[in-house]
Amino acid sequence: MAIKEGLRPGGRSARVQESIHSAVRALLQEQERSTVTVPQIAARAGVTPSTIYRRWGDLAALLADVALARMRPDSEPAETGSLHSDIRAWAEQYLDEMSSEPGRNMMRDVQASATPGYCVTIIGAQLQTIIERHPEEPSPSVDRLINLVVSPVVFRILFSAAPLEVEELHRLIDIALKPD
């Protein structure tokens, strides 16, 4: 369970959460994910393990919360001049980031989240931004883009030895952008 909404932004709770998130990110860079423990995270963050258990319940929920925080974009999707090229640039970056080992781990962690649907919200907002940038061009719905482009990417990353090839990604984008 993530920290409750409505807490003072920048207050003690926010500082504790950031300290714990930072500890998780640092430990995941230093050692194998399977060896990270709540006591290690607590020691690194300067809190007691009970603080972590009280806020998140268990390690899986904490890792999911950190993964969801990392999935939030740092900036708007790239603007390249057309709907097709913007979607293509976004999808190529998504494929590249999520098919990396940290990206795969992030996806696995998010599955343990109490709010896995939040990923759809994040991705949907990015795709909606791209669509709204190009009102003069016929555009598919966000759901169509998620179903025809994002879903195959995620499926292949999570359940296949090899991620989707970029050429196949381009074909899926072309299909998604064709009018019904």
Side-chain angles (χ1 to χ4, degrees), residues 18-33 35-36 40-41 43-45 63 66 70:
E18 180 49 38
S19 174
I20 293 168
H21 277 223
S22 293
V24 169
R25 289 188 302 268
L27 287 167
L28 290 174
Q29 286 192 345
E30 295 170 8
Q31 63 191 62
E32 288 295 317
R33 187 171 162 273
T35 65
V36 173
Q40 286 177 316
I41 295 165
R44 176 73 64 100
L63 292 174
V66 172
R70 290 184 64 205

Side-chain angles (χ1 to χ4, degrees), residues 10 14 20 29 31-33 36 57 59 61 68 90 93 103 109 111 120 133 137 139 170 179:
I20 293 168
Q29 286 192 345
Q31 63 191 62
E32 288 295 317
R33 187 171 162 273
V36 173
L59 179 60
L68 282 171
W90 179 87
Q93 180 180 356
D109 290 339
Q111 291 176 341
V120 174
R133 244 187 233 154
E137 295 184 52
S139 59
H170 293 169

Side-chain angles (χ1 to χ4, degrees), residues 68-145:
L68 282 171
R70 290 184 64 205
M71 288 186 122
R72 287 186 208 108
D74 295 332
S75 62
E76 295 281 316
E79 193 164 350
T80 63
S82 74
L83 177 66
H84 186 270
S85 62
D86 283 5
I87 295 288
R88 196 177 220 191
W90 179 87
E92 287 173 359
Q93 180 180 356
Y94 184 78
L95 174 64
D96 185 55
E97 289 176 2
M98 292 301 128
S99 61
S100 68
E101 192 58 33
R104 285 175 186 261
N105 288 336
M106 211 176 359
M107 285 184 166
R108 289 182 189 109
D109 290 339
V110 166
Q111 291 176 341
S113 167
T115 56
Y118 187 60
C119 293
V120 174
T121 303
I122 293 170
I123 290 168
Q126 291 178 314
L127 294 170
Q128 188 63 45
T129 296
I130 294 170
I131 289 168
E132 289 173 0
R133 244 187 233 154
H134 305 283
E136 71 289 348
E137 295 184 52
S139 59
S141 68
V142 167
D143 281 343
R144 181 175 172 91
L145 290 169

